[in-house]
Amino acid sequence: MLKIVDQGFISLRAGQGAYMPVITLLADGRFIACQHVGASLGAADNHIEVLRSVDGKVWTSQGSIHGDGPPADGYAYRAPKIHLLPDGRLLMTATRFETGAGNLFDPETEALVRPEMILLWSLDQGVSWSEPQVVPVDLPPEKYTWNGAGCLMQLGPERWMYPLETWKPDGYDGPPDQKAAAVFSADQGETWGEYTVIADDTSGAILWWDLMNARLPDGRIYALIWTHQYGTADDLNNHWVISSDQGRSWSEPRATNMRGQVCTPIPLADGRVAAIYNFRHEPQGIRVALSEDLENFDLENEVVVFDAGAEATLGDPESENFLAEHMLIAFGKPGGLLLPDGELMTYFWCTAQGVTHTRWVRLAVEG
């Protein structure tokens, strides 16, 4: 069973939105978080903010990592995550998008502006960050774009995994060849080469979006995927995949009993998995459910950590294209981590009274 025990804000500001937070527990027991902020979810001024907390409850902004406000390098920065490395350094992953077109997505052609997966390193616990290091992906750029998904995983002393998803770039006339995949490093992120497909429907009918991955207590990699019917507004049930060989091969996707969108697994010490996911059917919101077998979640006893009410979207899109509609969502990208005391800390972005902001919710796990 799950029970909400505390909740609060990570960042609440008027006039500018905060999106896609990730909270990381540092070695000294303090917390660091990052998120992207800007005029809207897909705005050209999106940039990365770092925040800090002693107790994970009261947060202070350190400001933008780009200096005073949005970067002036022609990119919009989105979906950052901070990872603690064994040697004490911090590593931030993010995706940056070219901003020349003004919008990230063209609803007429379905093309995405060119993104780059990047790494930024910190030697001083996140006070300052290196210049971006671009992570290459060996796919033809005339047919594919690729952006980060899920979280970077340190699978061994040298082997790292960086999940991604593909789409299509401007100028490519065919349908998107969309798939969930990952690239791997054999030297702690210095270079990247090995590329592995995790989920792919060669017919193009099913899209595998926002693969969210975690390491189970037995070392296997488990991932939940938002599964969507191409060309429609229809989501299928979330699917799951697993790897027992450090990401070199993966099981065939299997359906869970959840029908959500972005869905993040959080392994618990007793072998169960909690999943925090976007529920975009009435009543819309963000929910957390438990599973004992990785496939069937206890939906009767799930907990609602955010009720979107009438603020599930931010207006009407100019196009009926599903992705254009999705750029106007008012909440999403939930995640979480298991704290040393056994509580589950979850986090997400949402909108209330017209202000788009980020929140945390702590849950007790019982039984």
Side-chain angles (χ1 to χ4, degrees):
M1 297 287 290
L2 297 165
K3 179 182 178 181
I4 295 176
V5 294
D6 204 357
Q7 55 190 307
F9 298 106
I10 303 171
S11 177
L12 179 65
R13 57 163 68 82
Q16 190 179 49
Y19 307 91
M20 300 187 185
V22 173
I23 295 175
T24 302
L25 180 63
L26 298 175
D28 62 5
R30 292 182 292 179
F31 296 83
I32 191 169
C34 57
Q35 59 193 16
H36 74 258
V37 297
S40 67
L41 178 60
D45 69 344
N46 280 330
H47 57 287
I48 296 172
E49 178 184 30
V50 171
L51 307 99
R52 296 183 180 275
S53 175
V54 173
D55 57 6
K57 299 179 180 181
V58 179
W59 291 85
T60 301
S61 174
Q62 181 180 298
S64 172
I65 70 167
H66 312 280
D68 296 329
D73 58 3
Y75 290 96
Y77 289 74
R78 304 178 79 242
K81 303 174 184 67
I82 294 175
H83 310 267
L84 177 63
L85 302 181
D87 60 10
R89 293 179 299 164
L90 297 181
L91 173 64
M92 181 187 292
T93 58
T95 300
R96 65 182 186 182
F97 294 80
E98 295 177 356
T99 58
N103 295 305
L104 297 183
F105 172 73
D106 184 339
E108 300 302 322
T109 66
E110 295 187 316
L112 188 68
V113 300
R114 181 67 59 187
E116 291 180 334
M117 296 161 52
I118 58 172
L119 306 174
L120 303 99
W121 309 80
S122 177
L123 305 179
D124 54 13
Q125 292 295 286
V127 175
S128 62
W129 296 88
S130 70
E131 291 298 313
Q133 171 191 336
V134 176
V135 174
V137 177
D138 188 17
L139 290 171
E142 66 275 7
K143 185 177 181 180
Y144 294 97
T145 64
W146 47 87
N147 57 271
C151 63
L152 182 142
M153 301 189 77
Q154 304 163 51
L155 301 174
E158 304 293 330
R159 183 174 175 81
W160 290 4
M161 168 184 164
Y162 196 158
L164 61 95
E165 63 186 29
T166 64
W167 197 249
K168 73 171 192 173
D170 184 44
Y172 183 73
D173 293 332
D177 183 8
Q178 198 280 330
K179 59 195 72 181
V183 289
F184 295 83
S185 172
D187 53 13
Q188 299 185 28
E190 295 299 322
T191 61
W192 299 81
E194 180 186 340
Y195 168 84
T196 299
V197 173
I198 297 173
D200 186 16
D201 177 11
T202 56
S203 75
I206 296 176
L207 305 178
W208 308 100
W209 280 339
D210 281 294
L211 174 144
M212 306 297 284
N213 54 304
R215 196 95 175 263
L216 298 177
D218 62 11
R220 292 179 298 167
I221 308 170
Y222 171 69
L224 290 165
I225 310 175
W226 170 12
T227 310
H228 187 80
Q229 192 78 34
Y230 178 57
T232 74
D234 297 331
D235 294 320
L236 305 179
N237 282 21
N238 292 88
H239 281 56
W240 66 280
V241 293
I242 201 161
S243 174
S244 301
D245 57 5
Q246 295 194 325
R248 293 177 176 86
S249 63
W250 293 82
S251 64
E252 289 295 318
R254 291 173 56 96
T256 70
N257 60 332
M258 293 183 296
R259 188 164 69 97
Q261 292 188 356
V262 178
C263 181
T264 300
I266 310 164
L268 306 180
D270 62 7
R272 291 181 295 173
V273 169
I276 178 168
Y277 70 104
N278 293 334
F279 187 78
R280 297 201 189 276
H281 319 280
E282 297 301 329
Q284 295 195 42
I286 298 175
R287 305 181 178 192
V288 185
L290 294 175
S291 174
E292 297 184 356
D293 64 2
L294 306 180
E295 182 166 303
N296 299 289
F297 288 81
D298 183 4
L299 303 184
E300 292 185 1
N301 294 299
E302 67 182 0
V303 171
V304 177
V305 293
F306 176 70
D307 181 355
E311 292 182 282
T313 60
L314 299 171
D316 298 318
E318 297 179 359
S319 166
E320 293 184 358
N321 183 288
F322 173 76
L323 287 175
E325 296 175 3
H326 194 71
M327 294 306 292
L328 294 176
I329 57 174
F331 69 91
K333 207 63 180 259
L337 70 157
L338 184 65
L339 298 177
D341 63 4
E343 286 188 353
L344 191 62
M345 171 176 267
T346 65
Y347 43 80
F348 48 87
W349 68 273
C350 58
T351 304
Q353 298 181 342
V355 179
T356 299
H357 58 282
T358 49
R359 295 187 186 185
W360 58 267
V361 177
R362 292 196 186 198
L363 300 101
V365 182
E366 304 171 349

